Amino acid sequence: MMNVDLSPAYVLSTQLLSDGEPVRCLSAHPSSSSQLLSGSQGGILSFFHLDDGSMDISPGGSETRHPHSITALLSSNIFSPSLPEIYATGCKDGIVRIMDGKTHRLKFALEGHANAVTSLSWIPPPTAAASSSDGDERQFPWLVSGSWDGTAKLWDVFSSSSSPRCLGTLEGHENTVSVAGLPAEKAGAVRRVVTVSAGVARGNVVRGHTVRIWRLRGGTSSAVVQSEVVAAVADDHSGPMRDVCYDAATHSIYTCSNDGTVKVRSAEDGVCHTTLAFPGDRPMLLSLCIAGNDRERSVVAGAEDGNVVVWDISGRRDVQIIPHPGCVWKVASMNDDFVTACHDGTVRIFTRHADRAAHPDVVKSFEEAVMAAQSARSSGPSPDEIARLPKWEMNALTQGRSEGQVQVFQREGKAIAAQWSASSRTWIEVGEVTGTSANAGTIHGKRYDHVLPIEIDVPGGGVQNLQIGYNNGENPFVTAQQFIDEHMLDQHYLAQIADYIRQRAGDAGPTLGMETPSTNGGCGAAAPPPATVPMEISYQHLPMRGYKVFDAGVDKKGLTKVLQKIREFNQEISCNQLSPNEIGEPLDSLTNTLCITNRYHSSTISTVELLPLRKMILEWDASHAFPALDLARIAVLHPDAAKGERREYWKDVINGALTLCLGLSQAASREVAVPMLTMRLVCNCYKGGSGAASAAESLLEKILDCVEICIPSDNKNVRLAVATALLNTSSYMYSSSSSSVSSAIRILDLVGTIVGCGKYESEAIGRILVALGTVLLIPGQCGSDAKQAARKGGIVSMLERVANGNGDIAVAVSKEIRSILS
């Protein structure tokens, strides 16, 4: 019997960690409540089995991996369980991929879009065709895809032909297109679809965002679909529309927008009859869905400020706000529940069924994550941020640019704000910089009321992370124009960036003393992810995005061999042996957890299990410690083992490994085990988790010292590990705001040493060149100084020599580096 014990509000039911990258899209698959698909910003598909909590990352192997962010997902079972079991993905590379629903292998790649595919939907067939004979292609739904390129494309993916075909293109949209299938007309073979657009910049505002309802005829056999717009409604939102859906129960179209509202529209002409507004300050609403059953239905929308808002369609219940630890990129219905895709890498299911509610410990963990994200925003500058500020004692050497300019200095471990007096040409202390409830921060030592992240999205795969500073009372368009000029962006991004500033900082006018407006709606949500600005610059291979890892041996057989070797060596050494309590249960439990890779998202590793690793690496000599290095190399890939609070543990482990390697001195070129495993451990630290990555960052100079002594290695595997360590280090520096010029220039020197030694194979050379190009693209002064050093160091002439004979990748990357330096 169906459970009808419904709570008045949605509560957390399940939370599932995906591959750790921000989750951008999801879909139930199949339509039962037991399975779920998600796609991440890193191009990874994850397949969740909700009945036992297990997960498969890249369930179809390498064919499941996408080269860029997966931005849309759609299962055939969402439309009808009787359809062939497939699902479609939309990707930032502009390709729609049709995947086998059972094997998860790629069936077809549908090309035609010129930019990212961000929306997918099924268009129902005419009602009369639903009862037609088997094999009649008119009975199948069509797939419709919406893209950043301003078009929607219609695809026949179910007919008896050998491969899918494009039935037609719906053109004339204003930038990004979102799509939703509508019921076919009752008479005649006419299908319908609704499209919505993001609008275009006109002067200082974005206008032209339009709802269009289309009639579609034809499409059988080789015929091209004939399309016409039968209704259009423009500019009734005050910002770009981000998503659209259709609800059969209410026969209504729902649209959400950057203006923080959802509009309920007639499915016949698109005219709005009800507006649902986010309570308080309105964030950008990125996605929406209809959740519930025939008796209880709700409109659910996900916001870029980390909130989910739920409106009861009947109006009997109050609006509900559910804060998340990060931006909610996607919401989707799943039976009576709904699912959220969050920037923190977690998928969460919410329910009103009491028997589906999560355990109190899970709810507490979720609430603590939200609070931690909020605390991270409200705390003052971190010690590392303070350490990078100019010293107060040297303030006389820093000249202000204008009367009243605010500058932040460091003094005795504290951040001190000072104001420039043009008349006395001195800095006047204002006070200590402490926490704030908004997005306050510093850029290059200058304090802003709001420091907002912006990603410059390179279609070839790179993402440049920038920050824009804004003070209450300033004109957002002036700030946006200064940002465009500073970073040499295309002028047509002016309105988009200004709109982003207004949404995040509030529309504060130039009134002195005005109370700072709240930027999170009072809901305790986390800071949103950055605005994404697509750029025209395109590099296919640069910069490096993500990390290469060494994960061979992560299975029962491999880990058993490592454990046997550790126990063998523990008997050989005369001092610093592991005790029976250390060599027994902790290591057995650790290896058992590590070999079950499909449970990494839910399994945990205790400190007791990790401590023997640290002891062996710190206290055993190099000839006996290498199995511990191998086990650490695997353990650091476990999300719980490498989490943020274990930073000091991994700092000890990495430092110990580097000390062992450096202790080999000149013998490092002849040794294999310790140099190879130390470099592989370093590579995996960047990918494993925030604790391990932060630990590696703190030891960057020592890592580069170790790379330097390992460069002349006589072993191919060591050389590949060295090249990968430089590659991953450059990728981390590119994505980090704390990259140092000295480290960047040192990487350039190490690349020159590697090329000059003449030992490295083509695969390693390719990674070295990508590392070089990535360092050159580091944002800000660091990248500029690196480019200047590269020009002075004759990098261009070196590129011409090294590219020859090392494959097409080396040639292509060398060409891109020359373009950067030109």
Side-chain angles (χ1 to χ4, degrees), residues 50 121 218 241 266 371 558 575 700 770:
L50 302 181
S121 183
M241 285 182 282
S266 163
M371 293 176 64
C575 60
L700 180 55
V770 174

Side-chain angles (χ1 to χ4, degrees), residues 519-670:
T519 60
N520 65 1
C523 301
T532 301
V533 182
M535 292 244 344
E536 300 303 323
I537 302 171
S538 175
Y539 296 116
Q540 183 178 354
H541 302 284
L542 299 175
M544 174 62 182
R545 186 167 176 266
Y547 306 103
K548 299 282 188 182
V549 298
F550 292 92
D551 55 4
V554 189
D555 53 50
K556 190 69 174 177
K557 182 178 179 181
L559 289 170
T560 298
K561 288 183 177 179
V562 172
L563 196 51
Q564 288 174 344
K565 184 60 70 173
I566 287 174
R567 287 171 173 157
E568 175 187 330
F569 284 169
N570 194 55
Q571 296 295 322
E572 289 183 7
I573 60 174
S574 58
C575 60
N576 299 321
Q577 285 183 321
L578 297 180
S579 69
N581 289 334
E582 292 172 318
I583 197 71
E585 174 60 26
L587 289 180
D588 286 333
S589 178
L590 175 63
T591 54
N592 286 337
T593 300
L594 293 177
C595 71
I596 308 176
T597 56
N598 66 348
R599 296 300 301 271
Y600 273 20
H601 66 289
S602 58
S603 59
T604 59
I605 293 177
S606 70
T607 302
V608 171
E609 294 171 298
L610 292 172
L611 286 177
L613 281 180
R614 180 168 65 179
K615 180 176 180 178
M616 289 184 284
I617 292 171
L618 294 181
E619 299 180 8
W620 290 10
D621 59 60
S623 63
H624 293 95
F626 67 85
L629 292 176
D630 202 16
L631 189 53
R633 181 261 306 182
I634 296 171
V636 78
L637 291 174
H638 191 288
D640 186 67
K643 60 188 178 182
E645 48 263 48
R646 290 203 165 114
R647 179 182 186 272
E648 293 306 312
Y649 170 87
W650 286 108
K651 187 174 180 180
D652 288 345
V653 169
I654 300 167
N655 187 53
L658 295 171
T659 300
L660 288 171
C661 189
L662 291 169
L664 297 173
S665 189
Q666 298 300 318
S669 63
R670 300 186 300 275

Side-chain angles (χ1 to χ4, degrees), residues 454-458 462-466 487 543 734 777-780:
I454 291 183
E455 291 178 352
I456 303 303
D457 202 2
V458 180
V463 178
Q464 185 176 2
N465 298 293
L466 303 175
H487 297 285
Y734 176 84
L777 289 173
I778 292 175

